[in-house]
Amino acid sequence: MSTQDGLQILQSAVVLLVAPLYAGVLARAEAIVQSKRGPSVLQPYRDLAKLLRKGSAISDQASWIFRGAPFVAFACYLTVSAIVPVITDEPLPLAFLADLIGGAFVLALASFSISLAALDCASPLGGLGSSRTTWIGSLAEPALILVFFTVGALSQSDNPYLENHALAHSGAAYVLPTHVLGAVAFFIIVLAENGRIPVDNPSGTIEISMIEESRVLEYSGREYALVKWGSWMKLFLLSSIFMNVFVIPWGLGNADSLLGGLQGIAALLGKLAVCGVGIVIIDSSFAKLRFFRIAEFLGASFLLALIGIATSYVIGK
Amino acid sequence: MIALVIALVVLPLVGAAAHLLGVRTHAAGLLSAAGGAGALGCALALAVLTTRNGPYRALSGFIYVDPLSAFFAITVAIVATLAGLGSIGYVQTEQERGELSPVQVKLYVVFFALFAALMLASLEAGNLGLLWVLVEASTLASAVLVALEARSSSFEAAWKYIIISSFGVTIALVGTLFLFYASSALALDATQRLSWAELFAHAHALQHDSLKLGFLLAVVGYGTKVGLAPMHTWLPDAHSEAPSPASAMLSGALLNTGMYAIIRFQAIAGVDLGRYTHRVLLVFGFTSIAIGALFMVRSTNFKRLFAYSSIEHMGIIAVALGFGGTLGYYGALLHTLNHAIGKCVLFLCSGEIVLRYRTRVATRVRGLLGSAPLLGVVLLLGSFAIVGSPPFGLFLSEFTIVRAGFASSGPAFAFLLLALLVLAFIAFMRTTADMTVGGSGSDAPAETPSMRVTSAFPLLAGLAMLLVLGVWIPGGLNDLIMHSIGAIT
Amino acid sequence: MQSLSASSIEGVLLDLSAVMMLLCAFACLGSKLFDRYVAYYALQSVVLSFAAAVVAIHLGSGALWALAALTLAVKGIAIPLATRRFLLHRLDLRRDVALSTGLSTSLILGAFLTVFAYLAIRPGTLPHALVASAVVPLSTAVILLGGLCMVVRRHTIAQLIGWLILENGVFLGAITLVATFPFIVEAGIFLDLVAAVLIMITFVSGLAQRLATAAAPDLRELRE
C-alpha cells in the first residue's frame, strides 16, 4: 500500500470520525453564546453509540426503499469524502471519480434517497419535509452551478484542487471580485444545504416547522444513527470544501508523505474552527426566515454568483 | 476688468445683504433691483471690453469672459432687474395679506439674490467643472424659491424640480467627465483640461468617441435644466408653483443658463463633429417644440401655459443651434434675449393677475381689459410678442431661425418648424385672448388694488424693449452677437 | 500615469471595491426598510472612500487623499446620520410601502441593467484608461441601479437615496477614469451635494408634515 493509498484512507477516516465532533462543538458553542451550558462536545458520539446498540422499529408499511436509503446516503457521503480536498493539496488516487459538479450530484443523490424514504412510509410530516427540502434544493441547485462557474472562471476548470492552487499561488486572484462573490454565494448554499439558520433551525423541536429533521422522524436505532452521522458528514464536508477551496486555500498537507497528511489534519481543524465561528455567529444573530422568504435568500446567492461571473467577463479574468 | 467680473456677481447680492442687516423689505427690494441694474451695467461694460479686446482670462482659466458670456450676462441681468422690481410689489402684497411670514420674505429676498448671483457667476466660469458646480448651486437656490409658499403643492413641485434637476445635472457631470477623459491624450494639466478655452483650442485633438458621449450626456443633463423634452417634466410644476417673479427668473434666466452650458459643449464638439451635434440638437429641439405646443393646447392654468411656452421656445433655440451656421447661431442668440424679456413680462403680469384674482385657472379670468386695462394690454401684447407676431423682437428672431433652416437643412425642417409655430400660436392665443377680451363667466376680483409703479414699470419697459428689438437691432448688439458667434465657431 | 491592470494588487482592490459598491446598490434595491437604505448607502460610501484611497496610494496624490477623507466624512458619516436623525427618527419612518414593483422584479431589472452596463461599456472600448478600466462598467452599473432605485421607489426618501447612490457611481467613475478633477471643482461638487441633501431633507419633512406621508404617489396635486 503506497503512501497515497494510506492518505486516502486517512482522509475518509478523518471525515468519518471528526464529523460528529464538529457537530458537537458547534452545538456547544451555540449554547454558550446563548448563555446556556449546552451538551458536551462528545454528545454526538454518545448518541451514535446508543443508537447503534438499539434495535430499530420500522413501520410495516415501509418498503425496501425506507430500509436502504440510509445506507445509500451514507455511502454517498463516504464517496464524496474521498474525492474533495480535505487534508491534501494534490488529488488522491480516488479523486478522479468526480469533479465539483460530480460531487454535487452525489450529494444530491444522498438527499434524494432520504426524501424518497420519507415519502415511502406515508407519514404526513415526512411528505411535508421532503417536499420542502426538494423545493429548497431546487432553488439552491442553480445557484450552486453558478458558483461552480465562478470557480471555472478563475481556474479554467471545475476541479477543486486546481481552484485551490490558483488561489493559493496568487494574492491578486484571492481578492478578485469573482472569487469573493463566489465564496459568499457558496457560504449561503452551505447554510441552506445543511439546514442551518436562517433556512432551518437544526435544534428546532416543532414538527410542523421543521424542514430537514421532519424527513427522518420515522427512523430509529441503527438506521437513524447512519442518517444522523451522514448529515454531520455533509456539514463537515461542505465546510471543509468552503474553507479549503474558497476561504483559506493554504495549509493543506503534502500528498506524498503521511506527515503531510497529519499537518493537513491539524490545519483543517483550525480552519473548521474559523468556519464554525462564522456559522455560530449567524445562527445566534439571525432568526429563521419565513418559509417563502427562503427563495429570496437563495436568490441572493444566485445573484451574487451571477454578478461574479459577469464581472469576471468584464475584468477579463 | 477683474473688478467688473466681481461686481457682476456681487452687485445683485447687495439688496439681500442690506435686508439681512435690517433694511426694510421695500427699500431692500429697490436696492436689489438697483443691484441688478448695476450688474446689467457691468455686463454691458464687459460686452464692450470683450468685443474690443478679446476674451478675458484669469485665475488659470477659472474665470473666462468672452462676448458670449457677456451676451448671456446681459440677458440674465435684464431679467434679474425686471423681476427684482416686480418682486417688490408682489412680496409686499403677499405679506400684507398674511400669505408670507417675515421669515419667508427674508428667505425670498436672500435666495432670489443668491440665485441671480450664481447664474451670473456660472456665465463667467471658464472651467467646465466650475460651471457645473455653479449651475447645480443655482438649481438649489431656485428650488428654495419654488418651495417658498410652503403649500403642499409647492413642496411637491420643488421636490420634483430638485430631484429631476439634480438627476439631470449629475448626468451632465458624467458628460463633463467624458469630455475630460477625451482630452487625456493632450499634454495639459488637470485644470487646463477642464478649461473651456483650452479644450476649444485643442478640439481637433480630442478623442472622438468620448467626445460624442460627453456631448450627448451634457445635452441630456443640462437639457434637463433647459427643459428640453422629454426631460421637461419638472418645468411646468416648478414654474406654476413658484412666486411669479421667481417664475420669471426661472424662465427668463435659468433656462438660458442651461442653454449657455449646452452651447459651450456644442462649440467644443462642433469643431470636428458638427453634423452629429446638429442632429442631436434638432431631435431634442423638435421634440420640445412639439411637446410644448401640444401641452399648451390643454393647459387651463395660465402659469403652466407660459411654462409650456418656455419649453417650446427652448426647443426653438435648440433647433436654431441645430441648424447651425452664422444665421442659425444669430437667430438662437437673438431669440434667447427676446424670449427672456418676453417671458419675464408675461410671468410678472401673471403674478399681478394672481394677486388680483387669486386663481391660476385661465377660465376664471375674463375681461381683463375691462377690469384692469393696463394688465390686459400687457397680457395681450405680451402674448402677441411671445407667439412671434410682428412687430415684436421674437418675430425677427424666429424669422431668422426659419431662414437658417432653409439655408442649412433644406425646406423640410423649416416647414416643420413653421407648422409647429402655428400650432403654438393657436394654442397660446386661444387661452390668453379669452382672458383679456372674453366677456362671460367672469369672476370680478373682490378688490382691485391700484398697480404699484414698481410693478408697472418692468412690464412696460419689457414690452418697449421687445418692440424696439422688433424694428431695430442696435449696432452694438449686432456687434456683440457677431463676436459671440466668432467666439464659438 | 500608468494604468492598473486587473492583476496588480491595487487594480484588484479597486475592482473589489467597485463590486462591493454594486452589491450595496443591489442590497438597497432588495430591501424594504428605510434604516437599511441608509445603512447600505453609508457602507457604499465607505467603500468608495476606500477606493479613492487606493487610487491615492497608486498615484501618490494628496488631493485624492483629501477627497477620500471628505468622502468618508460627508457621505459615509454626515449624510447618513443627518438622514437618520432628521427624517427617519423624526418622522418615525420604518417600512417603505411605496414600491411600484415587487422586490424580486426590481432585483431582476437591476440584474438586467448590470448586464447591459457590462455589455455596453467593455474595458476594450476605452482606449487608454488611466486607472482601472474594468471599474468603468461597474460604476456605470451603479449609476443605472441608482436611477432604477429612483424609478421603482416612489417614496421621496428612497428617491433621495437613489440619487445619492447614482452620485456615488459617478464619483467611482470619476476617480478611476480620470483620477482627479481639479480640487476646487471636487470641493465645489461636495458643497453642492451637502447643500442639496440639506434642502431635500427640508422638503421631505415639509411634505411629510403636510401630507402625513411623503410618498410620491400621494404627490398628485399637480396633474393635469
Side-chain angles (χ1 to χ4, degrees), chain A residues 75-108:
Chain A
C76 286
Y77 295 129
L78 213 51
T79 314
V80 174
S81 77
I83 59 182
V84 297
V86 176
I87 57 172
T88 63
D89 62 351
E90 289 293 335
L92 291 167
L94 284 178
F96 74 93
L97 282 173
D99 54 12
L100 274 177
I101 297 178
F105 277 145
V106 179
L107 288 182

mmCIF file of all heavy atoms in Angstrom, chain A residues 75-108:
data_model
loop_
_atom_site.group_PDB
_atom_site.id
_atom_site.type_symbol
_atom_site.label_atom_id
_atom_site.label_comp_id
_atom_site.label_asym_id
_atom_site.label_seq_id
_atom_site.Cartn_x
_atom_site.Cartn_y
_atom_site.Cartn_z
ATOM 1 N N ALA A 75 -23.251 5.995 2.039
ATOM 2 C CA ALA A 75 -22.236 5.649 1.041
ATOM 3 C C ALA A 75 -21.899 6.864 0.186
ATOM 4 O O ALA A 75 -20.737 7.096 -0.168
ATOM 5 C CB ALA A 75 -22.748 4.511 0.156
ATOM 6 N N CYS A 76 -22.911 7.652 -0.149
ATOM 7 C CA CYS A 76 -22.675 8.853 -0.946
ATOM 8 C C CYS A 76 -21.711 9.777 -0.235
ATOM 9 O O CYS A 76 -20.749 10.281 -0.831
ATOM 10 C CB CYS A 76 -23.977 9.600 -1.192
ATOM 11 S SG CYS A 76 -25.031 8.806 -2.390
ATOM 12 N N TYR A 77 -21.966 10.024 1.062
ATOM 13 C CA TYR A 77 -21.111 10.952 1.792
ATOM 14 C C TYR A 77 -19.694 10.411 1.867
ATOM 15 O O TYR A 77 -18.725 11.163 1.738
ATOM 16 C CB TYR A 77 -21.673 11.212 3.197
ATOM 17 C CG TYR A 77 -23.010 11.913 3.157
ATOM 18 C CD1 TYR A 77 -24.104 11.444 3.864
ATOM 19 C CD2 TYR A 77 -23.175 13.044 2.372
ATOM 20 C CE1 TYR A 77 -25.322 12.075 3.813
ATOM 21 C CE2 TYR A 77 -24.393 13.687 2.307
ATOM 22 C CZ TYR A 77 -25.463 13.199 3.035
ATOM 23 O OH TYR A 77 -26.659 13.824 2.953
ATOM 24 N N LEU A 78 -19.593 9.098 2.053
ATOM 25 C CA LEU A 78 -18.275 8.488 2.137
ATOM 26 C C LEU A 78 -17.536 8.650 0.804
ATOM 27 O O LEU A 78 -16.338 8.937 0.769
ATOM 28 C CB LEU A 78 -18.425 7.007 2.496
ATOM 29 C CG LEU A 78 -17.324 6.404 3.344
ATOM 30 C CD1 LEU A 78 -17.078 7.265 4.575
ATOM 31 C CD2 LEU A 78 -17.707 4.990 3.752
ATOM 32 N N THR A 79 -18.306 8.521 -0.306
ATOM 33 C CA THR A 79 -17.691 8.696 -1.620
ATOM 34 C C THR A 79 -17.144 10.105 -1.768
ATOM 35 O O THR A 79 -16.012 10.310 -2.205
ATOM 36 C CB THR A 79 -18.731 8.459 -2.732
ATOM 37 O OG1 THR A 79 -19.445 7.285 -2.404
ATOM 38 C CG2 THR A 79 -18.065 8.339 -4.079
ATOM 39 N N VAL A 80 -17.972 11.052 -1.402
ATOM 40 C CA VAL A 80 -17.534 12.443 -1.555
ATOM 41 C C VAL A 80 -16.291 12.699 -0.717
ATOM 42 O O VAL A 80 -15.393 13.432 -1.114
ATOM 43 C CB VAL A 80 -18.676 13.407 -1.187
ATOM 44 C CG1 VAL A 80 -18.179 14.843 -1.215
ATOM 45 C CG2 VAL A 80 -19.814 13.248 -2.150
ATOM 46 N N SER A 81 -16.240 12.071 0.449
ATOM 47 C CA SER A 81 -15.088 12.302 1.327
ATOM 48 C C SER A 81 -13.801 11.862 0.652
ATOM 49 O O SER A 81 -12.729 12.323 1.015
ATOM 50 C CB SER A 81 -15.268 11.561 2.649
ATOM 51 O OG SER A 81 -15.001 10.186 2.455
ATOM 52 N N ALA A 82 -13.906 10.977 -0.342
ATOM 53 C CA ALA A 82 -12.688 10.503 -0.990
ATOM 54 C C ALA A 82 -12.224 11.436 -2.092
ATOM 55 O O ALA A 82 -11.073 11.377 -2.503
ATOM 56 C CB ALA A 82 -12.924 9.101 -1.553
ATOM 57 N N ILE A 83 -13.106 12.268 -2.606
ATOM 58 C CA ILE A 83 -12.739 12.987 -3.818
ATOM 59 C C ILE A 83 -12.480 14.482 -3.629
ATOM 60 O O ILE A 83 -11.921 15.100 -4.512
ATOM 61 C CB ILE A 83 -13.826 12.796 -4.908
ATOM 62 C CG1 ILE A 83 -15.164 13.301 -4.411
ATOM 63 C CG2 ILE A 83 -13.887 11.368 -5.353
ATOM 64 C CD1 ILE A 83 -16.268 13.099 -5.410
ATOM 65 N N VAL A 84 -12.886 15.065 -2.536
ATOM 66 C CA VAL A 84 -12.677 16.508 -2.403
ATOM 67 C C VAL A 84 -11.441 16.772 -1.555
ATOM 68 O O VAL A 84 -11.008 15.899 -0.797
ATOM 69 C CB VAL A 84 -13.904 17.202 -1.766
ATOM 70 C CG1 VAL A 84 -15.103 17.052 -2.665
ATOM 71 C CG2 VAL A 84 -14.154 16.656 -0.391
ATOM 72 N N PRO A 85 -10.831 17.965 -1.699
ATOM 73 C CA PRO A 85 -9.650 18.263 -0.881
ATOM 74 C C PRO A 85 -10.033 18.483 0.562
ATOM 75 O O PRO A 85 -10.724 19.446 0.870
ATOM 76 C CB PRO A 85 -9.104 19.549 -1.512
ATOM 77 C CG PRO A 85 -10.232 20.146 -2.255
ATOM 78 C CD PRO A 85 -11.154 19.051 -2.628
ATOM 79 N N VAL A 86 -9.614 17.564 1.410
ATOM 80 C CA VAL A 86 -9.878 17.739 2.828
ATOM 81 C C VAL A 86 -8.568 17.959 3.574
ATOM 82 O O VAL A 86 -8.433 18.893 4.347
ATOM 83 C CB VAL A 86 -10.635 16.527 3.393
ATOM 84 C CG1 VAL A 86 -10.814 16.668 4.890
ATOM 85 C CG2 VAL A 86 -11.967 16.376 2.718
ATOM 86 N N ILE A 87 -7.589 17.081 3.287
ATOM 87 C CA ILE A 87 -6.325 17.255 4.007
ATOM 88 C C ILE A 87 -5.138 17.426 3.078
ATOM 89 O O ILE A 87 -4.101 17.896 3.509
ATOM 90 C CB ILE A 87 -6.065 16.075 4.982
ATOM 91 C CG1 ILE A 87 -6.077 14.759 4.233
ATOM 92 C CG2 ILE A 87 -7.062 16.074 6.109
ATOM 93 C CD1 ILE A 87 -5.631 13.593 5.101
ATOM 94 N N THR A 88 -5.236 17.088 1.808
ATOM 95 C CA THR A 88 -4.062 17.188 0.948
ATOM 96 C C THR A 88 -4.291 18.184 -0.183
ATOM 97 O O THR A 88 -5.424 18.463 -0.547
ATOM 98 C CB THR A 88 -3.722 15.830 0.298
ATOM 99 O OG1 THR A 88 -4.829 15.464 -0.526
ATOM 100 C CG2 THR A 88 -3.448 14.793 1.343
ATOM 101 N N ASP A 89 -3.173 18.723 -0.717
ATOM 102 C CA ASP A 89 -3.306 19.729 -1.748
ATOM 103 C C ASP A 89 -3.255 19.136 -3.156
ATOM 104 O O ASP A 89 -3.452 19.844 -4.128
ATOM 105 C CB ASP A 89 -2.249 20.816 -1.589
ATOM 106 C CG ASP A 89 -0.845 20.260 -1.733
ATOM 107 O OD1 ASP A 89 -0.705 19.019 -1.790
ATOM 108 O OD2 ASP A 89 0.098 21.053 -1.783
ATOM 109 N N GLU A 90 -2.924 17.829 -3.290
ATOM 110 C CA GLU A 90 -2.944 17.199 -4.604
ATOM 111 C C GLU A 90 -4.014 16.116 -4.584
ATOM 112 O O GLU A 90 -4.312 15.559 -3.533
ATOM 113 C CB GLU A 90 -1.585 16.559 -4.924
ATOM 114 C CG GLU A 90 -0.470 17.554 -5.206
ATOM 115 C CD GLU A 90 -0.687 18.340 -6.489
ATOM 116 O OE1 GLU A 90 -1.393 17.835 -7.392
ATOM 117 O OE2 GLU A 90 -0.168 19.483 -6.565
ATOM 118 N N PRO A 91 -4.594 15.798 -5.737
ATOM 119 C CA PRO A 91 -5.639 14.773 -5.762
ATOM 120 C C PRO A 91 -5.101 13.435 -5.276
ATOM 121 O O PRO A 91 -3.986 13.061 -5.609
ATOM 122 C CB PRO A 91 -6.016 14.696 -7.251
ATOM 123 C CG PRO A 91 -5.535 15.954 -7.850
ATOM 124 C CD PRO A 91 -4.380 16.413 -7.035
ATOM 125 N N LEU A 92 -5.904 12.761 -4.490
ATOM 126 C CA LEU A 92 -5.555 11.421 -4.022
ATOM 127 C C LEU A 92 -6.038 10.418 -5.067
ATOM 128 O O LEU A 92 -6.763 10.784 -5.997
ATOM 129 C CB LEU A 92 -6.190 11.188 -2.653
ATOM 130 C CG LEU A 92 -5.540 12.074 -1.577
ATOM 131 C CD1 LEU A 92 -6.359 12.078 -0.314
ATOM 132 C CD2 LEU A 92 -4.125 11.596 -1.310
ATOM 133 N N PRO A 93 -5.645 9.132 -4.945
ATOM 134 C CA PRO A 93 -5.941 8.157 -6.016
ATOM 135 C C PRO A 93 -7.402 8.114 -6.445
ATOM 136 O O PRO A 93 -7.687 7.956 -7.637
ATOM 137 C CB PRO A 93 -5.516 6.841 -5.390
ATOM 138 C CG PRO A 93 -4.461 7.199 -4.431
ATOM 139 C CD PRO A 93 -4.788 8.550 -3.909
ATOM 140 N N LEU A 94 -8.326 8.286 -5.544
ATOM 141 C CA LEU A 94 -9.734 8.130 -5.925
ATOM 142 C C LEU A 94 -10.372 9.431 -6.429
ATOM 143 O O LEU A 94 -11.540 9.445 -6.798
ATOM 144 C CB LEU A 94 -10.543 7.622 -4.733
ATOM 145 C CG LEU A 94 -10.365 6.133 -4.422
ATOM 146 C CD1 LEU A 94 -11.171 5.752 -3.200
ATOM 147 C CD2 LEU A 94 -10.771 5.277 -5.617
ATOM 148 N N ALA A 95 -9.582 10.517 -6.440
ATOM 149 C CA ALA A 95 -10.181 11.814 -6.766
ATOM 150 C C ALA A 95 -10.636 11.897 -8.212
ATOM 151 O O ALA A 95 -11.396 12.788 -8.580
ATOM 152 C CB ALA A 95 -9.193 12.934 -6.469
ATOM 153 N N PHE A 96 -10.157 10.949 -9.042
ATOM 154 C CA PHE A 96 -10.577 11.011 -10.443
ATOM 155 C C PHE A 96 -12.064 10.731 -10.582
ATOM 156 O O PHE A 96 -12.647 10.964 -11.620
ATOM 157 C CB PHE A 96 -9.776 9.970 -11.242
ATOM 158 C CG PHE A 96 -10.217 8.566 -10.983
ATOM 159 C CD1 PHE A 96 -11.174 7.981 -11.823
ATOM 160 C CD2 PHE A 96 -9.752 7.842 -9.896
ATOM 161 C CE1 PHE A 96 -11.607 6.702 -11.570
ATOM 162 C CE2 PHE A 96 -10.206 6.575 -9.636
ATOM 163 C CZ PHE A 96 -11.136 5.988 -10.483
ATOM 164 N N LEU A 97 -12.691 10.204 -9.534
ATOM 165 C CA LEU A 97 -14.084 9.756 -9.637
ATOM 166 C C LEU A 97 -15.014 10.878 -10.094
ATOM 167 O O LEU A 97 -15.933 10.644 -10.862
ATOM 168 C CB LEU A 97 -14.556 9.235 -8.276
ATOM 169 C CG LEU A 97 -14.078 7.851 -7.903
ATOM 170 C CD1 LEU A 97 -14.479 7.541 -6.478
ATOM 171 C CD2 LEU A 97 -14.665 6.828 -8.862
ATOM 172 N N ALA A 98 -14.799 12.062 -9.578
ATOM 173 C CA ALA A 98 -15.752 13.139 -9.916
ATOM 174 C C ALA A 98 -15.096 14.492 -9.698
ATOM 175 O O ALA A 98 -14.188 14.630 -8.889
ATOM 176 C CB ALA A 98 -17.006 13.043 -9.046
ATOM 177 N N ASP A 99 -15.586 15.488 -10.442
ATOM 178 C CA ASP A 99 -15.167 16.863 -10.210
ATOM 179 C C ASP A 99 -16.179 17.531 -9.273
ATOM 180 O O ASP A 99 -16.978 16.848 -8.631
ATOM 181 C CB ASP A 99 -15.057 17.606 -11.535
ATOM 182 C CG ASP A 99 -16.337 17.515 -12.325
ATOM 183 O OD1 ASP A 99 -17.355 17.067 -11.731
ATOM 184 O OD2 ASP A 99 -16.351 17.883 -13.508
ATOM 185 N N LEU A 100 -16.185 18.855 -9.228
ATOM 186 C CA LEU A 100 -17.116 19.544 -8.318
ATOM 187 C C LEU A 100 -18.563 19.237 -8.668
ATOM 188 O O LEU A 100 -19.395 18.964 -7.790
ATOM 189 C CB LEU A 100 -16.897 21.056 -8.406
ATOM 190 C CG LEU A 100 -15.813 21.639 -7.505
ATOM 191 C CD1 LEU A 100 -15.667 23.120 -7.769
ATOM 192 C CD2 LEU A 100 -16.165 21.391 -6.046
ATOM 193 N N ILE A 101 -18.868 19.251 -9.974
ATOM 194 C CA ILE A 101 -20.250 19.015 -10.367
ATOM 195 C C ILE A 101 -20.648 17.582 -10.045
ATOM 196 O O ILE A 101 -21.740 17.319 -9.521
ATOM 197 C CB ILE A 101 -20.425 19.326 -11.869
ATOM 198 C CG1 ILE A 101 -20.135 20.806 -12.109
ATOM 199 C CG2 ILE A 101 -21.814 18.960 -12.335
ATOM 200 C CD1 ILE A 101 -20.233 21.220 -13.538
ATOM 201 N N GLY A 102 -19.709 16.648 -10.293
ATOM 202 C CA GLY A 102 -19.994 15.255 -9.956
ATOM 203 C C GLY A 102 -20.232 15.106 -8.467
ATOM 204 O O GLY A 102 -21.177 14.426 -8.024
ATOM 205 N N GLY A 103 -19.406 15.780 -7.669
ATOM 206 C CA GLY A 103 -19.581 15.718 -6.225
ATOM 207 C C GLY A 103 -20.946 16.232 -5.815
ATOM 208 O O GLY A 103 -21.635 15.646 -4.971
ATOM 209 N N ALA A 104 -21.358 17.322 -6.475
ATOM 210 C CA ALA A 104 -22.667 17.880 -6.157
ATOM 211 C C ALA A 104 -23.761 16.882 -6.492
ATOM 212 O O ALA A 104 -24.746 16.742 -5.758
ATOM 213 C CB ALA A 104 -22.883 19.178 -6.930
ATOM 214 N N PHE A 105 -23.583 16.142 -7.583
ATOM 215 C CA PHE A 105 -24.595 15.153 -7.947
ATOM 216 C C PHE A 105 -24.665 14.044 -6.911
ATOM 217 O O PHE A 105 -25.749 13.590 -6.537
ATOM 218 C CB PHE A 105 -24.269 14.550 -9.318
ATOM 219 C CG PHE A 105 -24.748 15.402 -10.454
ATOM 220 C CD1 PHE A 105 -24.028 15.489 -11.632
ATOM 221 C CD2 PHE A 105 -25.940 16.104 -10.343
ATOM 222 C CE1 PHE A 105 -24.462 16.270 -12.677
ATOM 223 C CE2 PHE A 105 -26.380 16.882 -11.390
ATOM 224 C CZ PHE A 105 -25.641 16.967 -12.556
ATOM 225 N N VAL A 106 -23.504 13.617 -6.432
ATOM 226 C CA VAL A 106 -23.512 12.551 -5.435
ATOM 227 C C VAL A 106 -24.217 13.030 -4.162
ATOM 228 O O VAL A 106 -25.018 12.306 -3.573
ATOM 229 C CB VAL A 106 -22.065 12.105 -5.147
ATOM 230 C CG1 VAL A 106 -22.072 11.025 -4.089
ATOM 231 C CG2 VAL A 106 -21.401 11.593 -6.412
ATOM 232 N N LEU A 107 -23.938 14.266 -3.768
ATOM 233 C CA LEU A 107 -24.616 14.806 -2.580
ATOM 234 C C LEU A 107 -26.119 14.902 -2.824
ATOM 235 O O LEU A 107 -26.930 14.606 -1.937
ATOM 236 C CB LEU A 107 -24.068 16.192 -2.242
ATOM 237 C CG LEU A 107 -22.652 16.226 -1.649
ATOM 238 C CD1 LEU A 107 -22.259 17.658 -1.327
ATOM 239 C CD2 LEU A 107 -22.581 15.373 -0.398
ATOM 240 N N ALA A 108 -26.490 15.296 -4.051
ATOM 241 C CA ALA A 108 -27.910 15.398 -4.358
ATOM 242 C C ALA A 108 -28.560 14.028 -4.307
ATOM 243 O O ALA A 108 -29.703 13.876 -3.865
ATOM 244 C CB ALA A 108 -28.094 16.027 -5.736
#
